């Protein structure tokens, strides 16, 4: 089992190091050491358990597990956000085919959002917590230019997004917000940021 508190602490410190680094060589070393692969592994393990973890968030005795897992996912996505500020990192993730994993995560968050029988409060929802950063990183990769000889790698991501139905799910999200009215735009609601990222995507 994953030690969520330990992993979150490690990621938090790693983010501090990345945020202070300006040298492309540092990011190249991070990629060479396989850190992105490990980070994707963390994301995918939590993604695969989203249904169970979200259900535990609705149970009084298990809510702490969801909170800890959410913190780890948020920290991992923050780490990817810092990594993907570098063009070389975005190109690397495109060429290795790993950028599509962000699309898998986004789709899983929306599936859980629409499929949860007893929805969590907005501030604890997988869609609200994870989607804004996931869509932001995905948008960076879609906009990233690649060498002509590697154009098929980016094309594969675009085709995956189109076929996977992510756009349709985001459209359904906007419809759901429209039906629920303007309460989402209260100052305390986290929903506007998600909608902003969705529109940008």
């Amino acid at each position: 089992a994953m030690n969520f508190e330990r992993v979150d602490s490690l990621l938090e410190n790693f983010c501090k190091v990345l945020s202070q680094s300006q040298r492309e060589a540092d990011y190249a070393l991070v990629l060479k050491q396989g850190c992105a692969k490990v980070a994707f592994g963390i994301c995918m393990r939590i993604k695969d358990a989203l249904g169970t973890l979200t259900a535990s968030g609705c149970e009084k005795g298990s809510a702490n597990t969801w909170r800890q897992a959410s913190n780890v996912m948020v920290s991992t996505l923050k780490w990817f956000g810092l990594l993907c500020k570098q063009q070389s990192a975005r190109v690397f993730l495109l060429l290795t085919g790993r950028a599509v994993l962000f699309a898998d995560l986004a789709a899983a968050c929306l599936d859980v959002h629409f499929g949860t029988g007893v929805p969590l409060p907005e501030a604890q929802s997988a869609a609200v917590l994870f989607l804004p950063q996931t869509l932001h990183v995905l948008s960076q990769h879609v906009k990233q230019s690649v060498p002509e000889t590697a154009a098929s790698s980016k094309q594969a991501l675009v085709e995956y997004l189109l076929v996977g139905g992510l756009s349709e799910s985001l459209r359904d999200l906007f419809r759901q917000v429209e039906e629920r009215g303007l309460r989402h735009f209260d100052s305390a609601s986290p929903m506007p940021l998600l909608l902003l990222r969705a529109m940008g995507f």
Side-chain angles (χ1 to χ4, degrees):
M2 188 184 301
N3 186 326
F4 290 125
E5 289 186 342
R6 187 174 180 181
V7 173
D8 188 40
S9 176
L10 178 63
L11 285 166
E12 185 178 345
N13 289 325
F14 204 162
C15 285
K16 289 179 182 178
V17 173
L18 274 186
S19 64
Q20 295 171 4
S21 177
Q22 301 296 326
R23 298 193 312 157
E24 188 171 345
D26 293 336
Y27 290 84
L29 179 62
V30 167
L31 294 171
K32 184 178 180 180
Q33 294 299 319
C35 297
K37 181 180 179 180
V38 174
F40 272 123
I42 294 171
C43 281
M44 294 303 105
R45 282 187 64 180
I46 296 178
K47 181 210 73 147
D48 292 341
L50 270 181
T52 303
L53 289 169
T54 302
S56 73
C58 298
E59 300 172 1
K60 193 171 183 180
S62 305
N64 190 52
T65 301
W66 170 242
R67 180 185 61 79
Q68 291 178 338
S70 298
N71 289 341
V72 170
M73 182 68 94
V74 168
S75 294
T76 309
L77 291 171
K78 179 182 178 182
W79 184 86
F80 273 117
L82 292 168
L83 178 73
C84 292
K85 285 183 178 180
Q86 289 287 328
Q87 175 179 319
S88 57
R90 298 194 298 272
V91 171
F92 175 83
L93 295 181
L94 280 169
L95 297 185
T96 56
R98 290 183 178 142
V100 299
L101 297 177
F102 292 119
D104 285 342
L105 175 57
C109 289
L110 287 165
D111 286 345
V112 169
H113 175 78
F114 290 117
T116 303
V118 181
L120 289 168
E122 280 182 2
Q124 300 175 37
S125 163
V128 171
L129 286 172
F130 311 144
L131 262 182
Q133 183 68 5
T134 304
L135 292 175
H136 174 63
V137 175
L138 259 177
S139 298
Q140 287 181 305
H141 285 83
V142 172
K143 296 173 183 176
Q144 177 62 49
S145 59
V146 294
E148 187 174 342
T149 54
S152 60
S153 299
K154 181 179 175 180
Q155 186 65 27
L157 173 61
V158 174
E159 290 176 357
Y160 191 84
L161 290 171
L162 292 173
V163 174
L166 182 57
S167 297
E168 287 78 4
S169 295
L170 290 173
R171 181 189 59 198
D172 292 340
L173 180 66
F174 276 99
R175 286 176 176 169
Q176 186 182 74
V177 171
E178 182 181 12
E179 291 170 0
R180 293 183 180 180
L182 295 176
R183 70 177 179 83
H184 287 299
F185 296 91
D186 294 341
S187 58
S189 174
M191 187 60 75
L193 176 60
L194 170 55
L195 298 177
L196 180 64
R197 295 297 195 199
M199 288 179 66
F201 175 76

